[in-house]
Amino acid sequence: MASDLEPTSSTNAGTQPQSDPMTSIPQQHENQQPSSSPSQTADNNNNNNPASPPLPARHTALTPGPRASRFQTTLDAALKHTLAKISWDNFAACYPHIAAHAPATLRAVQTQMVDRLRALCKKEFDSVQQSRNVVAKLNELETLVSEAERRRREAGEGVDPPVPPHTLPPEEVLDAHLAPHLAQQQSQLNAKLQTTQAHNAKLFEDIKRQRSEIESLVSLLEKVLEDVDNTNHMMDGVVDEVTRETRTIEIQMADA
């Protein structure tokens, strides 16, 4: 990269003065119009909108705990190590001609670049931490660890230590996750079974009552049929005599 810049700069030096691209950076910042900061915008919105009652405070600890502090320290160390690669020596080695003729300008550009990258990285880190709620979750992890240590101390040495979940076989883990759901389904099925059994018992009583009614009607019908048969037997002789008398009367009327 240094070899590419040196011939170009030496050729332009004999014809016309070189326009330093690094000096255009402050001019661009001067031409930009100042924008309203977020705090000023928030103040204007507060002045325009009526005051509302404050929301209740959340019960999540937002103060960084040991793990959250260590996480932030690790991020700062990684950022510092990364920005250390953009040192003055490495930067000057990339632009040797400018470093030889305008070292102050190049050093200002290098400082601005490092500061800009540091600000952007910290802003991005803060945005990710807020969107993922990193501090609250790490504090919650601290609470879980302290609670586990307290339970271990209260359990004493004579009690068998609990089995770590990651050492359990997949079948037991699956059963543990399905047990509440299956218990709920079993209770619902038991309730449906009891309702069905009660309904079936009622239907069985209705069927028994209807069967008794049918049997009584059949017995009554059989008695009626028996009476009809007895009446037919009794009227057999009478019918014959009535028939003979009817024929005799008809013959007499025909002769007359």
Side-chain angles (χ1 to χ4, degrees), residues 200-213:
N200 291 339
K202 183 179 179 181
L203 291 177
F204 182 70
E205 294 295 332
D206 294 340
I207 292 172
K208 288 175 62 177
R209 179 177 55 80
Q210 292 175 0
R211 283 181 178 178
S212 62
E213 292 178 358

Side-chain angles (χ1 to χ4, degrees), residues 88-108:
W88 165 249
D89 295 335
N90 295 334
F91 205 75
C94 295
Y95 305 98
H97 184 76
I98 301 176
H101 293 81
T105 302
L106 188 61
R107 188 178 293 275

Side-chain angles (χ1 to χ4, degrees), residues 181-249:
H181 179 70
L182 294 178
Q184 181 181 4
Q185 295 296 324
Q186 185 179 5
S187 62
Q188 293 178 0
L189 291 175
N190 289 334
K192 291 181 179 179
L193 179 61
Q194 292 178 359
T195 304
T196 305
Q197 289 178 349
H199 183 65
N200 291 339
K202 183 179 179 181
L203 291 177
F204 182 70
E205 294 295 332
D206 294 340
I207 292 172
K208 288 175 62 177
R209 179 177 55 80
Q210 292 175 0
R211 283 181 178 178
S212 62
E213 292 178 358
I214 291 172
E215 290 177 355
S216 62
L217 291 175
V218 169
S219 62
L220 180 60
L221 183 58
E222 289 177 351
K223 289 181 179 179
V224 171
L225 292 176
E226 185 179 357
D227 293 340
V228 172
D229 292 337
N230 294 331
T231 304
N232 291 332
H233 290 300
M234 292 174 61
M235 293 184 66
D236 286 342
V238 176
V239 171
D240 294 338
E241 293 179 0
V242 171
T243 302
R244 285 194 299 268
E245 291 178 358
T246 303
R247 288 179 180 177
T248 303
I249 294 171

Side-chain angles (χ1 to χ4, degrees), residues 29 40 87 113 149 165 177 186 216 228 251 253:
H29 289 289
Q40 294 177 355
S87 62
M113 182 180 294
E149 292 178 353
H177 283 283
Q186 185 179 5
S216 62
V228 172
I251 294 171
M253 291 177 64

Side-chain angles (χ1 to χ4, degrees), residues 51-214:
S52 59
L55 297 175
R58 297 179 62 182
H59 297 286
T60 304
L62 297 180
T63 303
R67 282 179 171 79
S69 301
R70 181 61 179 171
F71 179 72
Q72 186 63 41
T73 303
T74 303
L75 291 179
D76 294 339
L79 180 59
K80 182 179 179 181
H81 180 73
T82 302
L83 295 178
K85 299 297 182 179
I86 318 177
S87 62
W88 165 249
D89 295 335
N90 295 334
F91 205 75
C94 295
Y95 305 98
H97 184 76
I98 301 176
H101 293 81
T105 302
L106 188 61
R107 188 178 293 275
V109 172
Q110 184 261 348
T111 303
Q112 290 179 4
M113 182 180 294
V114 173
D115 294 341
R116 181 61 175 170
L117 288 176
R118 182 183 293 107
L120 290 176
C121 292
K122 286 187 176 181
K123 182 179 179 181
E124 188 67 22
F125 287 161
D126 295 339
S127 176
V128 172
Q129 291 182 15
Q130 291 179 2
S131 62
R132 301 297 181 180
N133 202 12
V134 176
V135 175
K137 291 182 179 179
L138 288 176
N139 292 340
E140 185 178 357
L141 178 60
E142 293 285 348
T143 304
L144 293 176
V145 172
S146 61
E147 182 69 17
E149 292 178 353
R150 182 185 63 80
R151 291 183 179 181
R152 181 180 298 176
R153 290 193 302 268
E154 292 178 355
E157 298 180 355
V159 181
D160 296 334
V163 180
H166 65 276
T167 60
L168 295 174
E171 293 79 7
E172 294 187 8
V173 177
L174 181 61
D175 293 341
H177 283 283
L178 292 179
H181 179 70
L182 294 178
Q184 181 181 4
Q185 295 296 324
Q186 185 179 5
S187 62
Q188 293 178 0
L189 291 175
N190 289 334
K192 291 181 179 179
L193 179 61
Q194 292 178 359
T195 304
T196 305
Q197 289 178 349
H199 183 65
N200 291 339
K202 183 179 179 181
L203 291 177
F204 182 70
E205 294 295 332
D206 294 340
I207 292 172
K208 288 175 62 177
R209 179 177 55 80
Q210 292 175 0
R211 283 181 178 178
S212 62
E213 292 178 358
I214 291 172

